[in-house]
Amino acid sequence: SRKDEILEIAVGLFASRGYHGVSMDDIGAAAGVTGPALYHHFAGKEAMLVAALVPVSEGLLDGGRQRSAAHPGEPRAALESLIDFHVEFALANPAVIALHLHELDRLPEEPRRRIRRLQRLYVEEWVAVLTALHSGLPDGEARVLAHAAFGLMNSTPFLGGEVDRRRRAELLRAATLAALLAPTEPA
């Protein structure tokens, strides 16, 4: 839809220039309309940022839950499925990842809290799989591993194009799996 097109344009601009570096007129010009015409679709830039980030967080949580539930009693298979899911997300949505990293704090308290809650629930899907995979791994340590894995997989917005997408996905999957399968006993 036209609203989705405009949102995609706004996300790209926010990711490349920063939220405060983009005006409604900039978004309108990139979309081929005037800035004021955008108000037919969105209340403003803030509404665009919310519209970009909330559904993504909901989609990650839903997808994570589905991937975990598809492999009951098989933590390694669940982990591999979660990694596949997140790598595909990261490669398909680098601008959204950049927004999450750099612009989430620009949101008003309510949508920011909602997004952070969704993110925490998504992390807990990973924690459950990691603690099932590594016997005796405390939840807090599993969270450290999950966030480290996200850092690895979400590094894709900052990669150049010298490695094609398929190979980047293979490398990210292998590196993330190796990191999360490594022994977790204290040194």
Side-chain angles (χ1 to χ4, degrees), residues 73-85:
E74 300 176 84
R76 171 138 182 181
L79 179 62
E80 290 174 357
S81 186
L82 283 170
I83 291 169
D84 287 346
F85 170 70

Side-chain angles (χ1 to χ4, degrees), residues 56-129:
V56 166
S57 296
E58 291 170 340
L60 282 171
L61 177 57
D62 290 344
R65 285 177 172 163
Q66 290 171 14
R67 295 297 182 117
S68 295
H71 303 282
E74 300 176 84
R76 171 138 182 181
L79 179 62
E80 290 174 357
S81 186
L82 283 170
I83 291 169
D84 287 346
F85 170 70
H86 197 96
V87 166
E88 284 307 312
F89 166 79
L91 290 174
N93 299 284
V96 173
I97 290 171
L99 283 182
H100 267 278
L101 291 174
H102 304 293
E103 305 296 347
L104 184 60
D105 290 336
R106 310 264 187 242
L107 290 176
E109 184 178 346
E110 190 282 319
R112 186 177 63 242
R113 286 178 52 206
R114 180 176 175 201
I115 290 166
R116 292 214 189 274
R117 181 179 180 280
L118 291 165
Q119 290 172 335
R120 281 191 304 274
L121 292 170
Y122 181 58
V123 169
E124 292 309 305
E125 290 298 316
W126 288 73
V127 168
V129 168

Side-chain angles (χ1 to χ4, degrees), residues 139-153:
D139 287 359
E141 291 182 16
R143 279 185 203 91
V144 169
L145 293 174
H147 282 283
F150 298 147
L152 178 70
M153 294 180 289

